C-alpha cells in the first residue's frame, strides 16, 4: 500500500469579499492503459471552513478546475459530495507536480487567498493517484494514494476507505451491521474490500473506533448507487466530530472506476 504524506501552506481570512464566478469544467480523458510520461490525478478537497468558500485548483501554475467547495473530488465528483458522479482523473506529468487550492480574486482566475500549496508525486505504478486535502489554516495536510483502477470481480463493487477527519484518530466503517473497515487511522486508508450488490440495501455508517456497533454514528449515508457491481469506489470520512454546521461529519464516496 503506497502512501505519500504532504504538508501544506494555508492561510485563513474573511471570505465574504470573494464572489463566485462560473467557469467551464475541464474535460479530462481517462486512459486506463496510460504509459510514457503521463499520470492521472484526482484532487479530493476536504478542508472544511465554516464559510465553505468557493475555491479553484491549479496544477503546475495553471488553473484546471471550475469553482468548487469542500467535499468535492475533482474531477469526477461522487456520492454525498459536490460535483458529478464520474470516475474522471486529470492528466498530469509523471513525477513532481505543484498543486495549489485558492480563493480567487473577484471575477478573475488569479489567487486571492492560498488555502493549500504543496507538491504531489506521481512516480510509477498503475498511473492513477488521488490526493486528499483536509483540515484548515496552519493544520492543513494532504496525503496521496495510488489507486487500483481495475475491478477484479465485475459481479460486485470494490472499495477502500479513507479517514480524513482531523479530530477522530481512528474510524470504523459499517455497511448496515457489517464492519467492513476497522480502525482506520487519520490520514490512512483501509485494505480493499467487497460488498455484495445482491444483499438488501443498507445504510453506510462511520463510528469512532472502539464504539459499540449499535452506538450513534458520526455520520450515515444510503444510496443504491454506492454498490453498483463492477465499480471501484473510495469511501471517505470528512468534517469534524462535534460540528453541526457545514463542518459536520460526512461519509461520502468517489468513483475510481
Amino acid at each position: 500500500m503506497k502512501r505519500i504524506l504532504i504538508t501544506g501552506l494555508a492561510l485563513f481570512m474573511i471570505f465574504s469579499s470573494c464572489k463566485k464566478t462560473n467557469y467551464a469544467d475541464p474535460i479530462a480523458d481517462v486512459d486506463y492503459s496510460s504509459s510514457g510520461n503521463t499520470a492521472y490525478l484526482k484532487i479530493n478537497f476536504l478542508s472544511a471552513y465554516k464559510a465553505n468558500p468557493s475555491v479553484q485548483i491549479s496544477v503546475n501554475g495553471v488553473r484546471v478546475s471550475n469553482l468548487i467547495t469542500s467535499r468535492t473530488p475533482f474531477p469526477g465528483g461522487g456520492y454525498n459530495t459536490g460535483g458529478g458522479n464520474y470516475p474522471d482523473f486529470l492528466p498530469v506529468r509523471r513525477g513532481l507536480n505543484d498543486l495549489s487550492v485558492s480563493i480567487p480574486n473577484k471575477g478573475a482566475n488569479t489567487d486571492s487567498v492560498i488555502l493549500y500549496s504543496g507538491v504531489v508525486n506521481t512516480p510509477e505504478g498503475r498511473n492513477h493517484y488521488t490526493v486528499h486535502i483536509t483540515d484548515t489554516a496552519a493544520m492543513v495536510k494532504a496525503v496521496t494514494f495510488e489507486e487500483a483502477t481495475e475491478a477484479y470481480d465485475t459481479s460486485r463493487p470494490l472499495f477502500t476507505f479513507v479517514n480524513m477527519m482531523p479530530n477522530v484518530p481512528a474510524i470504523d466503517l459499517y455497511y448496515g451491521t457489517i464492519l467492513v473497515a476497522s480502525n482506520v487511522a487519520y490520514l490512512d486508508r483501509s485494505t480493499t474490500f467487497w460488498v455484495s450488490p445482491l444483499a438488501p440495501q443498507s445504510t453506510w455508517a462511520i463510528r469512532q473506533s472502539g464504539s459499540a456497533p449499535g452506538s450513534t454514528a458520526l455520520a450515515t449515508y444510503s444510496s443504491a448507487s454506492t454498490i453498483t457491481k463492477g465499480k471501484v469506489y473510495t469511501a471517505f470520512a470528512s468534517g469534524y466530530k462535534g460540528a453541526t454546521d457545514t463542518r459536520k461529519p460526512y461519509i461520502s464516496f468517489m468513483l475510481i472506476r
Side-chain angles (χ1 to χ4, degrees), residues 42-176:
K42 189 186 294 289
I43 300 99
N44 192 19
F45 178 67
L46 302 174
S47 294
Y49 291 93
K50 186 175 183 179
N52 198 19
S54 296
V55 302
Q56 63 185 5
I57 298 171
S58 296
V59 177
N60 298 322
V62 177
R63 175 174 170 154
V64 296
S65 77
N66 58 318
L67 288 177
I68 65 171
T69 54
S70 180
R71 214 172 77 257
T72 300
F74 182 85
Y79 301 104
N80 208 19
T81 71
N85 52 3
Y86 303 98
D88 290 345
F89 285 75
L90 286 170
V92 297
R93 68 190 181 203
R94 188 177 303 284
L96 301 179
N97 292 274
D98 295 324
L99 174 65
S100 67
V101 179
S102 67
I103 301 172
N105 284 299
K106 185 186 296 185
N109 288 354
T110 53
D111 296 336
S112 174
V113 180
I114 305 291
L115 299 181
Y116 170 80
S117 179
V119 177
V120 179
N121 191 12
T122 57
E124 59 185 359
R126 296 186 180 93
N127 303 306
H128 289 74
Y129 301 84
T130 299
V131 54
H132 303 267
I133 301 170
T134 188
D135 216 342
T136 58
M139 297 301 293
V140 70
K141 291 181 175 60
V143 62
T144 302
F145 295 110
E146 183 182 352
E147 301 290 5
T149 54
E150 296 181 1
Y152 301 105
D153 182 347
T154 57
S155 68
R156 54 185 180 169
L158 179 68
F159 296 86
T160 56
F161 170 61
V162 180
N163 176 10
M164 293 291 122
M165 291 186 67
N167 65 342
V168 183
I171 291 178
D172 295 337
L173 174 65
Y174 287 83
Y175 186 62

Side-chain angles (χ1 to χ4, degrees), residues 160-207:
T160 56
F161 170 61
V162 180
N163 176 10
M164 293 291 122
M165 291 186 67
N167 65 342
V168 183
I171 291 178
D172 295 337
L173 174 65
Y174 287 83
Y175 186 62
T177 59
I178 302 171
L179 179 62
V180 292
S182 176
N183 199 35
V184 180
Y186 176 51
L187 298 177
D188 205 354
R189 69 173 173 178
S190 70
T191 57
T192 56
F193 60 91
W194 304 95
V195 170
S196 173
L198 302 178
Q201 183 181 335
S202 295
T203 298
W204 296 93
I206 50 173
R207 294 181 173 88

